[in-house]
Amino acid sequence: MPLAVLCLLYGLWLVMDTPAYVESMIVGGTILLLFVWLFIQFVPRVFDFVMGAEEEQLPSAVRRTSTIGARELLRLVCMLAIGRGIFMLGAFLWSLYLNGYTETVFEIQHIWADHLYAGRIISIANKGYALEAADLTGKYYNLLFPPFYSLIVRLLSPFYLSSIRAGFFVANINAVLSGVVLYLLVLHDSDRRSAVRAVWYYAILPPSFLLTCTIPASTFLLLSLLSVYCARRQYFVFSSVLGAMAALTERVGIVLVIPLLLEFFNAMTKEYRSLEEVTWRFYLKKGLVGATFILVPLGFMAYLIINRLVGGSFFTYVGYLEELYDSRFALFYRVCGVQMEKFLDAYRIYDASRAYGTYLPNLLFAAGSLVLILAKGKELRVSYIAYFVACYAAILSQTGIMDAPRQLFCCFPIMMALMRLTKKRWVDLLMSLLCIAGSVVYLGMYVAGWQVV
């Protein structure tokens, strides 16, 4: 039924709101076909997973251990910190190439606060949501962003004498910690070599440098990874609290409730089958734990309440998205079709900044992530695929989206699928070279002032 509805809506889109370009129809149809293929492979596994029928495949005890030593952890943190430093040095080198020597390597760091969204996010930390421009009475554009990251920045600002410095510190510390938690999560499911490879691609994928900017990306990635990691360790109450924080950091965080529920039902089913006698205490305990998952949507509800109190409507931010970015709600394949239209329009008027800095990366990541999950989805845990599917639909739900590469990058199953794809050395080498080259080019676009968000 869901697939029939999607195909029917695709047909209605072509008939009732025919795209301006045939290429848009082809891109939308291709994305829909890939999604349908993934959906058909994925749904049967969900039922097996929830009923405990799908067995977890773990490496041998010789290759896998759930413990991590202090020296190993310190080495990992140092490598991730060096990776952040390389991005900062790369920004200086690009600035030197594009503009000549105008700033030192330390002075150029203001570039991370020049992100398109950074100004409003820091504004929330300084002045809250009630701020309105003098010439825009009644417009509270800060409502476009949830508050949790800005709240952390505000709490740390007195120690750094500047919200921008505090935001830079939080973004980079959380970027390093995200790599550590990703390592732990992969290590819990696989071996050390795979965990190292996952962190490697986390560090070199093109959108990775955006985690250095004073925006909530690294904080959201850290909270989502921690939430799923706690669920894998069956600390479900903690995972719910962390999921609520993630939903209060980025709107897409609400979909974390799906992998958490799948992990919970999988663990509960296995425990149920292992008991000789099931008593009312079992149902009471599981019911109370399961009830905590309501915290995740409540985190998003808190953001909607802020919209209601400040802007007068629970969905004030939706109106602002349409007003500022000409963005409307649509299904993912239609969004990709619109992105293709915008790419062709920008290409025809020689607007390289929008064509190659915004729309082309959006299309590449939208199609590439689906292909990647399709290729290696059978080797991933069902809850991770469920998270990707829900994230994909939620991220690509606005026609005016500009930050799809960054948001999809923060959907961690993509890094896990890439890790599975690169088991062979020649594939690993080829993908590493492509990612490094892409990172250099993408960073150059950002330093040049293109719309890389």
Side-chain angles (χ1 to χ4, degrees), residues 47 77 105 126 141 211 213 256 259 298 300 314 321 342 378 388 429:
F47 291 98
V77 169
V105 69
N126 290 333
Y141 290 134
L211 300 189
C213 299
L256 275 167
L298 284 179
F300 181 69
F314 288 108
L321 284 172
K342 292 183 176 181
K378 292 181 179 179
F388 168 80
L429 178 61

Side-chain angles (χ1 to χ4, degrees), residues 138-200:
K139 301 293 185 181
Y140 305 100
Y141 290 134
N142 287 354
L143 288 171
L144 286 167
F145 304 97
F148 192 72
Y149 169 77
S150 299
L151 178 61
I152 298 174
V153 172
R154 184 169 187 171
L155 292 174
L156 291 177
S157 293
F159 299 98
Y160 285 88
L161 304 177
S162 165
S163 297
I164 294 177
R165 291 178 182 176
F168 181 74
F169 172 79
V170 172
N172 283 276
I173 287 296
N174 287 344
V176 172
L177 293 177
S178 296
V180 173
V181 180
L182 176 65
Y183 182 86
L184 293 173
L185 183 59
V186 177
L187 187 61
H188 186 79
D189 296 327
S190 188
D191 57 88
R192 270 179 164 74
R193 181 175 295 177
S194 298
V196 170
R197 201 161 59 249
V199 174
W200 167 248

